[in-house]
Amino acid sequence: MFFRSLIVLIVTLCAMPDAYSSEQLTYEQERTRVLSMDAELRLQAVNEGLSFNTQTVLGKHFYNTVVMQTPGELSHFTIPQGALRTLRDTYPKYFLEHQILSNGLSQRSVVSRMQQLDELADQANTQQWPRLVRLATKRHVALLLSQGLYYRAIGRIRDVIPAGGEHTLSNPYDYSLDAIYHDLAMAYRNGGNLTQSLYYCNQLSQTLSFKAQSTALGDVCRSRTLTAQGNYTAALKTASEVLEFGREQQSGMLMAVANHAIAEAYFAMNNTALAEQFALSGLAGAERYPTLTEVPGAQLQLLLLQIAVAKADTDSAQRYLTQLRTSNKTPYAGINAAMLLQLEADIALLNNDTDQALTVYQQLQSQQRVVQDQQLQDTRVAGIDQPLQQQQNTLARIKQRNDTSRSRNLTILAMFTTTISIVCGIAVYRLYRHKTTIESFARLDQLTSVENRWFAMKAISHRLSHMDRANDKACVALLDIDRFKHINDRFGYETGDMLLAKIAKVLKYQLRREDVIGRYGGGEFILMLTGTALQDGLRKVDELRKAIEQQPMTDKDEDIALRFSCGLVEVSNSARFDDVIGVCDRLLTDAKKRGRNLTSYSELGPSHTADCA
């Protein structure tokens, strides 16, 4: 009897590790099965009950990881500290997974969270848990992208490419190859290297070439990069094909991301109405798919925020900004934190709250300093430890040899003080230059170096609202380069950009200091000629037209004839900007219809057309 009991005990003890292993494997398979379902089916599965024993800490952990990726009003289990210690001691792999996921809910600074993710990735690597190394890297990359550190993100991604996960779509608890290629394409696109971005979009399509859905996601990626290149026709065609395919397949995921790409293209074309329509359609679909790569719900909210700012719809803009600020998914959606601050400042300016705008710009400046410090740390600090130690040793020997010489010590002190003064002076100068750069970024169009749309609109609106003196006149004009799209199509977008910059330079130097010039969008410029009556304004527009026509603007050996159409309005009393620009736009359209290279003008009454051919 004793030997029989002993044998049973030995067999039980030998079987226990297998039981633990079997339980973990079963839970892994159940989680994968549920997360592969459509959102509605997943919610139904959770409500009907999952095969996790939630009386145990491991069951609670797996249940929570499914609930985190399921839309709906679902509650998750709070795991007390005592249970977490049990999870750490009994299931260290899943305790580490819990720590990585908890990082996203932390209230600590982004820098601190990235440091913790680095440490967790090192622990996973030491334990040879490659999936968790990839999961920590995925979270770290998202935070880097949110800070605008695109090339640091690329470096982190490259470390895990050879160890990429299985070729599956968007496993939220791994960093699969399709997600890796998607993030590389986005990092290069936002970093300005559009050639590399297109390369990784193609890699995304080929990673799962036997799955049409992956090819479609690669096409959406290409569409967004084509929009960044300014090739809007190709971008819309590509994204529209994906949208149609998504409808045929009844795939809400594909329809959501395709709507996003289409809306982004229309917004870049200044068509806010269509951009908003497709963005809202995409958002409705994205809310049903919270596990998608790049969290498109947050991306679409950002686009709708930009559209609301462009339309001066401050209520909608504030609503979308609040949603992005309060969502714990925003830091992992690749949304640049500096961009959010810039948009918050734009909202404040639209509300004429200059104090709030100044406060936000100060936050933006601090944000840029943090990014700059992180870049310096990455590129230089790792290489200066050894030289720094050598310098310290040398100083110690010098001090020891000259310890008895008071005059030498005073000399060293003077040199040290001088060095500190120089360093402080350089630091102050760099801060001043950085402040100037931030102010320029907020005010100037980056391509043409004239005032951007928003700053020019605000300046003109302010002046129009204060025209109360007798005989106070001004002319407001919209200029549009004739056949500019034809120039882009024929000579390429690089030539088009070069010509825009050159035209802007000519216009800028033909105007006075008190005048306003800004790029209104595409090939359009907006002008305000301060203290100028209608006839003087027409003469000035003619001078600008002749100055541009006389410029040697060529592509290779072929001359490019540049002319513009113009809608010009004389304003003699206080007026709303929207009213004035609306008249300018109608006059510009009239000039285009009458044959281009014309100026249509008005005194806010019946319009006239001046033939300037």
Side-chain angles (χ1 to χ4, degrees):
M1 183 69 181
F2 171 75
F3 288 106
R4 182 182 297 173
S5 300
L6 182 60
I7 291 171
V8 171
L9 177 61
I10 292 172
V11 170
T12 302
L13 289 173
C14 290
M16 282 180 66
D18 290 336
Y20 285 135
S21 177
S22 175
E23 181 184 36
Q24 295 173 40
L25 180 61
T26 299
Y27 284 0
E28 287 271 13
Q29 292 172 341
E30 173 71 353
R31 179 167 70 180
T32 301
R33 180 187 71 83
V34 176
L35 290 180
S36 65
M37 295 178 177
D38 180 84
E40 293 178 357
L41 293 176
R42 191 186 318 146
L43 179 60
Q44 180 181 342
V46 172
N47 288 329
E48 291 176 353
L50 304 173
S51 59
F52 302 136
N53 181 4
T54 54
Q55 299 300 313
T56 67
V57 64
L58 185 64
K60 286 185 173 71
H61 169 72
F62 271 91
Y63 179 87
N64 285 347
T65 59
V66 171
V67 167
M68 288 172 65
Q69 302 296 330
T70 303
E73 298 297 326
L74 297 171
S75 59
H76 64 277
F77 289 98
T78 301
I79 304 179
Q81 289 299 317
L84 284 177
R85 284 192 291 270
T86 301
L87 187 66
R88 179 195 62 196
D89 298 337
T90 312
Y91 307 103
K93 178 179 178 180
Y94 297 107
F95 175 72
L96 187 59
E97 182 180 69
H98 172 82
Q99 286 185 294
I100 294 172
L101 299 178
S102 298
N103 178 274
L105 305 175
S106 172
Q107 299 300 314
R108 294 183 300 175
S109 69
V110 172
V111 172
S112 176
R113 287 156 64 189
M114 288 194 293
Q115 290 172 345
Q116 185 195 26
L117 287 169
D118 264 340
E119 295 168 0
L120 295 174
D122 289 341
Q123 292 178 33
N125 191 50
T126 301
Q127 296 295 329
Q128 297 185 345
W129 295 328
R131 179 181 67 82
L132 295 184
V133 173
R134 295 191 296 267
L135 177 59
T137 301
K138 178 182 181 180
R139 292 298 183 102
H140 193 166
V141 166
L143 290 175
L144 288 170
L145 293 174
S146 76
Q147 299 304 299
L149 299 170
Y150 303 121
Y151 286 93
R152 277 188 61 192
I154 290 166
R156 293 288 303 181
I157 294 172
R158 288 188 182 278
D159 293 339
V160 296
I161 287 181
E166 296 180 0
H167 294 187
T168 56
L169 285 173
S170 303
N171 178 358
Y173 299 117
D174 200 345
Y175 204 2
S176 52
L177 276 176
D178 61 308
I180 286 173
Y181 288 139
H182 179 280
D183 285 354
L184 279 170
M186 179 171 63
Y188 275 117
R189 180 169 64 241
N190 293 340
N193 191 335
L194 302 182
T195 301
Q196 281 294 97
S197 178
L198 282 175
Y199 169 78
Y200 282 109
C201 289
N202 292 331
Q203 290 293 104
L204 172 59
S205 293
Q206 297 167 10
T207 302
L208 291 171
S209 57
F210 54 90
K211 287 194 174 181
Q213 194 174 51
S214 170
T215 303
L217 288 176
D219 287 342
V220 169
C221 177
R222 266 191 300 277
S223 172
R224 298 187 65 191
T225 303
L226 288 169
T227 294
Q229 286 182 328
N231 193 349
Y232 306 128
T233 302
L236 287 170
K237 180 178 182 295
T238 302
S240 297
E241 289 173 353
V242 175
L243 181 60
E244 185 61 31
F245 176 74
R247 287 171 179 156
E248 292 173 1
Q249 300 294 314
Q250 296 184 340
S251 171
M253 177 188 74
L254 289 181
M255 287 189 285
V257 294
N259 274 310
H260 180 208
I262 294 171
E264 200 169 52
Y266 276 124
F267 182 66
M269 297 166 65
N270 295 318
N271 191 333
T272 54
L274 283 176
E276 186 174 33
Q277 175 185 329
F278 282 97
L280 289 171
S281 297
L283 185 61
E287 288 172 346
R288 298 178 59 243
Y289 296 87
T291 66
L292 289 176
T293 301
E294 201 183 346
V295 196
Q299 285 283 329
L300 282 159
Q301 285 175 341
L302 173 64
L303 182 55
L304 286 165
L305 168 57
Q306 292 173 300
I307 293 169
V309 170
K311 294 170 59 180
D313 182 358
T314 54
D315 292 339
S316 297
Q318 188 60 55
R319 183 175 73 254
Y320 289 124
L321 178 65
T322 302
Q323 290 172 354
L324 286 167
R325 290 287 192 208
T326 56
S327 172
N328 61 358
K329 293 176 182 176
T330 300
Y332 298 106
I335 293 176
N336 192 323
M339 182 186 296
L340 277 185
L341 287 172
Q342 180 64 58
L343 289 167
E344 186 176 353
D346 289 342
I347 295 171
L349 289 174
L350 287 172
N351 287 325
N352 293 319
D353 189 348
T354 54
D355 292 340
Q356 175 63 16
L358 179 60
T359 300
V360 176
Y361 277 128
Q362 289 171 344
Q363 295 175 12
L364 180 61
Q365 187 174 356
S366 300
Q367 172 80 21
Q368 293 298 322
R369 280 203 296 269
V370 170
V371 171
Q372 202 172 48
D373 291 344
Q374 287 296 312
Q375 290 170 335
L376 176 64
Q377 176 182 338
D378 273 5
T379 57
R380 298 184 61 184
V381 170
I384 66 173
D385 287 343
Q386 185 176 354
L388 184 60
Q389 186 60 46
Q390 292 174 351
Q391 290 182 22
Q392 295 286 3
N393 293 338
T394 300
L395 288 174
R397 288 195 297 270
I398 292 174
K399 182 181 178 182
Q400 186 176 11
R401 286 198 305 266
N402 298 282
D403 192 56
T404 58
S405 175
R406 184 172 180 272
S407 61
R408 182 67 59 86
N409 284 340
L410 291 174
T411 302
I412 293 173
L413 179 61
M415 292 174 62
F416 178 75
T417 304
T418 303
T419 302
I420 291 296
S421 300
I422 293 172
V423 170
C424 290
I426 292 173
V428 170
Y429 175 72
R430 287 186 64 188
L431 286 175
Y432 170 76
R433 288 290 302 275
H434 191 65
K435 177 177 179 291
T436 304
T437 301
I438 291 295
E439 291 173 348
S440 174
F441 174 77
R443 183 172 63 88
L444 298 181
D445 176 71
Q446 299 302 299
L447 173 64
T448 61
S449 296
V450 298
E451 290 172 356
N452 60 37
R453 176 189 179 107
W454 316 121
F455 194 89
M457 288 169 59
K458 181 175 177 60
I460 294 173
S461 178
H462 177 76
R463 295 190 187 186
L464 289 174
S465 64
H466 289 79
M467 292 182 60
D468 296 326
R469 295 175 301 171
N471 300 319
D472 194 2
K473 296 182 182 295
C475 285
V476 178
L478 270 182
L479 278 60
D480 187 22
I481 306 303
D482 290 334
R483 306 188 189 280
F484 186 66
K485 183 180 184 300
H486 172 73
I487 293 173
N488 276 336
D489 292 341
R490 182 176 179 184
F491 300 102
Y493 287 91
E494 290 186 3
T495 298
D497 289 348
M498 179 272 292
L499 291 176
L500 275 180
K502 199 166 186 179
I503 290 168
K505 185 176 181 180
V506 172
L507 294 175
K508 181 177 180 180
Y509 286 105
Q510 291 290 323
L511 297 177
R512 302 165 299 174
R513 190 181 190 88
E514 61 266 28
D515 295 332
V516 178
I517 176 172
R519 186 182 177 198
Y520 200 64
E524 286 187 322
F525 294 88
I526 185 170
L527 309 178
M528 182 174 188
L529 306 175
T530 305
T532 303
L534 180 60
Q535 293 304 318
D536 293 332
L538 288 170
R539 280 193 291 271
K540 173 53 74 173
V541 170
D542 284 341
E543 291 175 9
L544 297 177
R545 181 176 281 109
K546 291 174 183 177
I548 290 176
E549 289 177 348
Q550 292 169 2
Q551 290 298 312
M553 300 191 182
T554 62
D555 181 79
K556 298 180 180 177
D557 297 324
E558 187 169 358
D559 289 337
I560 301 175
L562 284 177
R563 299 178 176 87
F564 64 79
S565 299
C566 175
L568 182 141
V569 176
E570 180 194 79
V571 183
S572 55
N573 292 299
S574 177
R576 293 178 66 252
F577 175 83
D578 289 346
D579 295 336
V580 175
I581 202 66
V583 176
C584 284
D585 191 54
R586 289 194 295 274
L587 291 170
L588 177 60
T589 301
D590 177 70
K592 291 281 187 182
K593 288 180 179 178
R594 291 174 182 268
R596 297 185 173 87
N597 199 29
L598 304 175
T599 300
S600 287
Y601 60 93
S602 172
E603 299 177 353
L604 292 180
S607 63
H608 310 276
T609 301
D611 188 346
C612 300

